[in-house]
Amino acid sequence: MRKISVCVTPNLLPLYKNDNQIVVVVDVLRATSSITAGMASGIAKILPVATVEECIALQAAGYIAAGERDGKMVEGFTLGNSPFDYMDEKLKGQTIAMTTTNGTLAIHLSEGAKEIVIGSFLNLSSVANYLATQDADILVVCAGWKGKFNLEDTMFAGALVEKLQGKIDVDCDAAVSALYVYQAAQVDLMMFMEKSSHYRRLKHLDVIDDIAFCLSVDHFDCVPVVQNGKEIVLKEL
Ligand code: MLT
């Protein structure tokens, strides 16, 4: 039977990595939510890069630069990391270069997987339905915060485990723990989220609306994937 595992921080990736599994990268607050919102709203491609320097180089080459450090838009960039920034009509058909503190780094560190899928609460069921039809093992990579565990990505991992339970073997303790976290949180995701460190960080930046939006389960029906190890596009289903 296929297996699902959860890597609760990219720092643990060397323990889980193999090239036969599909990786689902999640950064609920906010990178993978923003990517999902942008792709569902008509952005053609997003190039996720690990560093600000790489993003600046792509900006100089004509790309729209997007992203944040410590939650704040990088100076000189066109977009920050709010999902609402990415849902702009003007971005339809455009290609964007994006760098974030943890999310795009986790994508970069997952390179070499059989496939990399972008997951968030916004497209939870679409991702789960897609994974259910595939034949590889699954690894959920939580972006965390600067190498540390975080609550919101683990909540998402648990939600995905719950959706796939029965079809896919839950063989790792982190996946079991994530499921328990989600089951405790699901009655009121926002109330649970208020206990997270990134909630406090974003509250200081006055972007509570972003958090509420990032918790809208199944707002979009789409599966963004990394194509050719380079750019995020929508999977044709
Ligand atoms: C990240 O990649 O660390 C986040 O998306 C940070 C943020 O909320 O902007």
Side-chain angles (χ1 to χ4, degrees), residues 27 29-32 68 70-72 81 100-104 143-145 198 202:
D27 183 4
L29 297 180
R30 295 165 290 174
T32 60
E68 56 65 45
D70 294 328
K72 292 180 226 124
N81 193 27
T100 70
T101 313
N102 307 284
T104 59
W145 182 259
H198 203 43
L202 293 178

Side-chain angles (χ1 to χ4, degrees), residues 154-172:
T154 308
M155 277 158 60
F156 169 85
L160 194 59
V161 168
E162 187 177 83
K163 289 235 173 246
L164 294 170
Q165 228 178 359
K167 302 183 189 103
I168 301 182
D169 203 20
V170 184
D171 90 314
C172 98

Side-chain angles (χ1 to χ4, degrees), residues 131-154:
L131 295 173
T133 63
Q134 302 305 298
D135 59 9
D137 289 345
I138 297 160
L139 176 65
V140 186
V141 175
C142 299
W145 182 259
K146 298 187 178 176
K148 293 183 179 166
F149 173 96
N150 80 16
L151 207 47
E152 61 274 14
D153 297 340
T154 308

